[in-house]
Amino acid sequence: MTEFAWLDAAEQRIFRAYARSARALFVQFDRELQAEAGLPRTYFEILWLLDAAPGGEMRMSDLAAATGSQASRITYAVSRLEAAGQVRRELCAEDRRGWFAVITDAGRQMLSRAAPHYAAMVRRYFLEPLSPAQREQVVEVGDAILGELARSAQVATAEPGAPAPLTGMPEPAAV
């Protein structure tokens, strides 16, 4: 059996603090956004991505990539949003194989209702507990992690100005 070096106590403490806080933050976001706006966080973020995209549309494969989801999960989520009238699908005219998810007026209305709740949660649970210096450290830590993942080719890097991935937060002007 090959020996491996498990995380030492300090490494475990750091990673567990991050993992527990991120998981708890998103659970809280899901709970409150569902209660306040009737929309799961992931669906809010899909609507936000579509709203931020040119023409309010994205190829389903690009939406899956932007959210870090499998195609089947995006298909299910878009089907639910489509049933609610918040998204529609359109066949890609160029290749007639791909599909676009397109935000509807009802989707934009839902996004407008949910966005203030989302922004309030981000402020209350993520930004307010941190000092200005800690906020800058979060940016630095996030950039370092994303940089390493990009170098390892484990995540696709978005082009500048592209919508944030699923766990991203809308730009302040959007909320």
Side-chain angles (χ1 to χ4, degrees):
M1 177 177 243
T2 305
E3 286 283 326
F4 70 95
W6 189 240
L7 300 176
D8 64 33
E11 291 168 330
Q12 285 185 39
R13 181 178 161 270
I14 293 165
F15 186 74
R16 286 180 179 168
Y18 162 75
R20 282 192 322 261
S21 63
R23 188 172 25 256
L25 186 68
F26 291 129
V27 166
Q28 187 70 25
F29 281 15
D30 283 328
R31 183 180 304 123
E32 286 193 29
L33 199 56
Q34 184 70 46
E36 296 294 327
L39 189 69
R41 176 185 53 88
T42 52
Y43 291 12
F44 167 82
E45 291 177 339
I46 289 169
L47 291 174
W48 178 78
L49 285 166
L50 292 173
D51 187 57
E57 64 183 30
M58 291 179 74
R59 286 185 78 106
M60 293 286 287
S61 57
D62 292 339
L63 188 56
T67 60
S69 296
Q70 296 174 339
S72 61
R73 287 185 180 211
I74 287 299
T75 298
Y76 178 79
V78 168
S79 293
R80 298 285 304 265
L81 290 166
E82 190 174 31
Q86 297 164 355
V87 169
R88 72 175 183 278
R89 287 183 232 212
E90 294 180 359
L91 189 60
C92 179
E94 293 93 42
D95 65 18
R96 310 282 300 161
R97 292 178 309 200
W99 287 88
F100 285 101
V102 183
I103 192 168
T104 64
D105 288 341
R108 284 192 171 93
Q109 289 172 357
M110 173 56 84
L111 187 61
S112 292
R113 283 195 310 272
H117 299 292
Y118 189 88
M121 289 184 306
V122 169
R123 287 184 188 104
R124 178 178 179 193
Y125 299 118
F126 184 72
L127 297 173
E128 289 175 4
L130 302 176
S131 70
Q134 288 171 318
R135 291 177 185 187
E136 283 304 311
Q137 289 171 339
V138 168
V139 172
E140 292 171 14
V141 167
D143 288 347
I145 292 169
L146 290 173
E148 179 58 29
L149 290 170
R151 281 188 294 281
S152 298
Q154 294 177 5
V155 295
T157 55
E159 294 181 28
L166 181 61
T167 56
M169 179 175 86
E171 295 295 321
V175 290

